[in-house]
Amino acid sequence: TLDVEVEEFSLGNPDIQVIDLEADPNAIDQNEETTLGMAIANTGTVPLSGTMRILVYAADGMTLTHEITGTFNDLPPEGKAKLGADWDTDGVAPGRYIIYGTAWYPAQTTDPMTTTLEIVADEPIPALKLESSSPTYIGEFTYLTATVSGGTNVVYDWYLGTGNVKYDQGATLS
């Protein structure tokens, strides 16, 4: 009598690599939106299925702030897959954030790729000074100048009192 033992196994090398990770843009003002994206490649010799994850942590590396998850199915050797989504940072505290991109597939996890995102606080304008070249004669130009000391994201919209508005014209208007 012969003892027979049967065992099933797969031949091949399963391997996934994170090949790209980005926040676009990677520096934004508070309460703006950025697009988070990653790409993976099957660098092995067999088709693979699994899960991709983008994890956003506060600078302390401990506080998970945001997560995007997606799956890939039967990704062939040399095949690529992408994951991405817009992240509205409304209500997210200013500061530096660390973004990790990783993928899980049967009994394995890729080495993570990292990048950073900087969220900058809007600073109030502490002082505003307006100047005018008036009085001027009819047909001559009147120059208006606004001067701010400090602040961020300053936009100059000039409401001229005639129902006419000049949007984002800069600090001087004629």
Side-chain angles (χ1 to χ4, degrees):
T1 40
L2 293 173
D3 290 333
V4 176
E5 189 174 310
V6 177
E7 190 171 316
E8 289 186 35
F9 59 93
S10 295
L11 293 176
N13 177 30
D15 192 30
I16 297 282
Q17 298 291 319
V18 177
I19 57 172
D20 188 35
L21 176 67
E22 67 179 9
D24 185 27
N26 67 349
I28 59 174
D29 294 317
Q30 191 174 14
N31 302 319
E32 286 188 351
E33 193 172 270
T34 187
T35 300
L36 303 177
M38 71 176 283
I40 60 169
N42 183 346
T43 55
T45 59
V46 294
L48 292 168
S49 298
T51 303
M52 294 180 284
R53 293 179 75 192
I54 299 173
L55 306 168
V56 181
Y57 284 90
D60 65 9
M62 304 292 286
T63 307
L64 180 63
T65 305
H66 190 69
E67 178 177 358
I68 302 168
T69 303
T71 60
F72 56 96
N73 297 305
D74 296 320
L75 186 64
E78 299 183 21
K80 296 177 181 172
K82 293 182 178 184
L83 173 66
D86 292 337
W87 179 32
D88 182 355
T89 63
D90 188 32
V92 177
R96 184 171 175 262
Y97 290 83
I98 303 166
I99 302 168
Y100 295 89
T102 188
W104 292 317
Y105 55 104
Q108 298 185 52
T109 301
T110 64
D111 289 332
M113 184 177 276
T114 63
T115 190
T116 59
L117 170 68
E118 190 73 32
I119 299 177
V120 181
D122 286 334
E123 296 293 328
I125 298 169
L128 171 66
K129 178 181 176 186
L130 295 173
E131 295 178 279
S132 168
S133 64
S134 67
T136 52
Y137 294 104
I138 294 176
E140 292 184 2
F141 285 106
T142 299
Y143 295 93
L144 306 171
T145 302
T147 306
V148 297
S149 62
T152 57
N153 295 321
V154 177
V155 176
Y156 299 91
D157 292 341
W158 295 90
Y159 296 83
L160 304 175
T162 60
N164 190 1
V165 179
K166 301 289 184 179
Y167 294 101
D168 201 17
Q169 295 294 308
T172 301
L173 182 70
S174 59

